[in-house]
Amino acid sequence: MSVQSDTSPALEQLKFLSPAEVRHVAETFGTPAFVYDEERIRAGVAQLQQLPSAYGHTIRYSLKASPSAAVIRIFDSMGVEFDASSVWEVIRAVRAGVAPEKILMTAQEADFGSTELPELIRQGLKFDAGSLQQLAEYGQAFPGTEVSVRINPGFGSGLVRRLTSGGPDSSFGIWHEQVAEVKALVERYSLTVVRLHVHIGSGHHADVLLPAARRLLEIAKDFADVHVVDLGGGYRLTVMADDPEYDHSEWAEELASDLRLFQEETGRELHMEMEPGTFLVANAGAIVAKVIDVVSTGDEGRRFVKINAGLTEILRPSYYGSPHPVVAVTRKGELPPEGPLTCVAGHCCIAGDMLTTRPGSVEELSPVRLGEVTPGDYLVIERSGGYCASMSMKNFNSYPEAPEVLRRTDGTFTLIRSRQTIDQLTANELIPDDLRKASA
Ligand SMILES: *Cc1c(COP(=O)(O)O)cnc(C)c1O
């Protein structure tokens, strides 16, 4: 995480749009709008496909980062497989044309009493048991079949605590000391454990990922049919101008040598899987918003630029204190000269709608260096390709959901999800008859 002070944040730059394209997007699709870059998405996949591995590796794109159909199609067309966090994500991916056998579901909620989940498993969906209860329910429904098991390795790591999904404070996965219970269930239902899985957090440190992987290798010795170790997602990304670069080939190389050692000891060649969400889409997406107001709270106070986006499009700064580069573009589609240090406020009528929180601390403000803007100019919020459109405070203040636009590899822009209409927003509301009459 970058360390910023009020006096020396870096001036951020556009990651993939040109200033003229920002204006083009705003004038063509309106604001706010999400824009994704197909070329960057494809380049991220290619980068991970080239990672070193001992006996091959599979990339599963984590759908929850950005589950838009066109985005799913890009990954599917590249042979990428998928990680789903709910049955609904599975259904969305299948509707987008993904074969169920290409999806591994690792979910907090897995309802075997529903019609959807058992049917999808019969069609080939792979199931990763995230608890002993899930493993038992799966076993009852599908005795004698293959299954994956998610382990909580006893520790985790993430950008912030809320993004850490391993260790005693995390409810995810089967606690590493409960392997005997796993074995008993596996025996009772004649299951075959083929995959062991960990996901220790988002934005984890590689020096925590490796011990987690090693814990899986220890457990794999007890399960003779395990042939896949899945390391989950959470791979760090360079976001802010002053963030370091992360070299993912370093841990991959170390893991590969561990897997070779495992092979020497056991004769078994384990395939590696990884489930990146953030890494593949975050920097490949941006929000184009319009400046709607500029206010000041006096000489001792702050300068605020308000935009027509906010919690309804991007929750991360106020939920995690996560930094996002913000770049100003004039209404003419040019980069303006630098203005004063500025806080950026969203359009929701709630005090917490702030985009410039201090990294890791949602209660504090952290002004940023920004080009000079007046109402009618644009702000681009970078790193918005993951966990923004899919994880916003959608429809708060009744703002309709913003559209999603894709910049194709030939440089053209195409709409991949329309702006929500007010009719769609209210479509499911019902008014009891006696309340329909206007007051006298
Ligand atoms: C969320 C999640 C991921 C993706 O995490 P990123 O931080 O976006 O890479 C991968 N696997 C599982 C099981 C997850 O829950």
Side-chain angles (χ1 to χ4, degrees):
M1 174 153 301
S2 64
V3 179
Q4 293 188 351
S5 73
D6 278 7
T7 49
S8 63
L11 186 68
E12 297 288 340
Q13 316 225 315
L14 292 172
K15 288 194 188 286
F16 62 91
L17 293 168
S18 70
E21 285 175 320
V22 171
R23 175 186 175 186
H24 171 73
V25 165
E27 291 182 349
T28 310
F29 304 99
T31 56
F34 292 95
V35 189
Y36 306 118
D37 185 33
E38 181 172 355
E39 194 170 291
R40 275 195 165 228
I41 294 175
R42 290 183 182 273
V45 171
Q47 196 184 336
L48 295 184
Q49 282 171 337
Q50 283 155 21
L51 282 181
S53 61
Y55 307 106
H57 63 290
T58 296
I59 298 161
R60 296 191 173 279
Y61 168 61
S62 188
L63 287 159
K64 72 177 186 279
S66 175
S68 224
V71 173
I72 292 173
R73 292 304 323 140
I74 295 174
F75 288 115
D76 197 40
S77 73
M78 294 189 80
V80 170
E81 304 204 359
F82 296 89
D83 154 55
S85 295
S86 76
V87 73
W88 304 106
E89 277 185 4
V90 176
I91 293 168
R92 247 176 124 167
V94 169
R95 284 189 180 196
V98 176
E101 64 262 29
K102 290 199 174 157
I103 309 172
L104 174 69
M105 181 174 127
T106 305
Q108 288 287 75
E109 178 182 333
D111 183 359
F112 287 92
S114 68
T115 46
E116 292 91 355
L117 182 58
E119 180 52 28
L120 285 161
I121 290 173
R122 276 190 284 277
Q123 291 171 16
L125 168 67
K126 298 181 170 79
F127 183 72
D128 187 24
S131 70
L132 293 169
Q133 164 76 17
Q134 282 190 8
L135 184 59
E137 286 193 42
Y138 177 86
Q140 276 157 27
F142 296 95
T145 61
E146 298 184 344
V147 71
S148 302
V149 171
R150 177 175 181 170
I151 300 290
N152 179 337
F155 47 83
S157 170
L159 211 54
V160 291
R161 253 179 87 104
R162 282 183 185 184
L163 284 167
T164 299
S165 50
D169 286 350
S170 168
S171 72
F172 294 87
I174 298 173
W175 187 246
H176 63 106
E177 291 166 326
Q178 293 165 357
V179 169
E181 286 93 318
V182 173
K183 277 190 189 159
L185 287 170
V186 162
E187 219 159 278
R188 183 175 317 154
Y189 299 110
S190 308
L191 298 173
T192 306
V193 180
V194 292
R195 180 188 287 95
L196 291 176
H197 175 269
V198 282
H199 173 67
I200 57 170
S202 275
H204 56 59
H205 287 279
D207 55 6
V208 186
L209 181 67
L210 277 171
R214 287 176 186 137
R215 188 138 274 171
L216 286 193
L217 295 188
E218 277 308 307
I219 297 172
K221 288 180 183 162
D222 281 353
F223 293 89
D225 296 299
V226 165
H227 56 84
V228 180
V229 281
D230 186 328
L231 305 182
Y235 308 97
R236 275 192 182 223
L237 198 61
T238 302
V239 172
M240 306 301 283
D242 47 16
D243 279 352
E245 295 281 339
Y246 301 102
D247 183 0
H248 292 288
S249 64
E250 283 177 16
W251 65 259
E253 197 68 73
E254 275 197 62
L255 179 69
S257 68
D258 281 10
L259 292 179
R260 285 188 207 100
L261 274 177
F262 184 90
Q263 192 278 334
E264 280 167 30
E265 272 181 55
T266 64
R268 292 156 59 196
E269 297 186 350
L270 300 185
H271 186 85
M272 194 251 281
E273 288 187 350
M274 56 195 301
E275 302 174 332
T278 301
F279 185 89
L280 290 175
V281 289
N283 277 340
I287 297 167
V288 175
K290 196 189 281 184
V291 174
I292 50 176
D293 216 336
V294 181
V295 303
S296 149
T297 49
D299 292 345
E300 303 296 310
R302 309 277 193 183
R303 177 178 187 264
F304 294 96
V305 165
K306 294 187 199 174
I307 57 174
N308 67 346
L311 292 172
T312 42
E313 288 72 31
I314 177 167
L315 195 59
R316 300 184 77 258
S318 56
Y319 190 52
Y320 297 134
S322 54
H324 286 254
V326 185
V327 184
V329 174
T330 67
R331 68 203 75 191
K332 289 186 176 155
E334 291 162 354
L335 291 178
E338 194 174 334
L341 280 176
T342 297
C343 291
V344 178
H347 60 174
C348 292
C349 289
I350 187 171
D353 195 359
M354 288 297 312
L355 283 92
T356 49
T357 52
R358 185 172 294 282
S361 172
V362 300
E363 295 285 351
E364 289 173 81
L365 298 184
S366 184
V368 292
R369 284 171 64 188
L370 196 63
E372 184 59 83
V373 285
T374 56
D377 291 328
Y378 306 115
L379 286 196
V380 178
I381 319 299
E382 294 286 358
R383 199 242 169 263
S384 302
Y387 304 96
C388 288
S390 67
M391 197 190 78
S392 67
M393 213 183 259
K394 180 176 163 179
N395 292 157
F396 184 51
N397 286 185
S398 297
Y399 286 114
E401 192 177 23
E404 291 177 307
V405 175
L406 181 67
R407 186 174 75 174
R408 306 301 314 269
T409 48
D410 65 2
T412 58
F413 290 85
T414 187
L415 192 63
I416 59 168
R417 193 188 65 208
S418 304
R419 190 179 302 281
Q420 189 185 31
T421 64
I422 191 72
D423 285 341
Q424 291 168 334
L425 196 153
T426 58
N428 292 335
E429 293 179 7
L430 303 165
I431 303 175
D433 280 342
D434 63 303
L435 296 178
R436 287 186 170 275
K437 286 175 271 168
S439 60

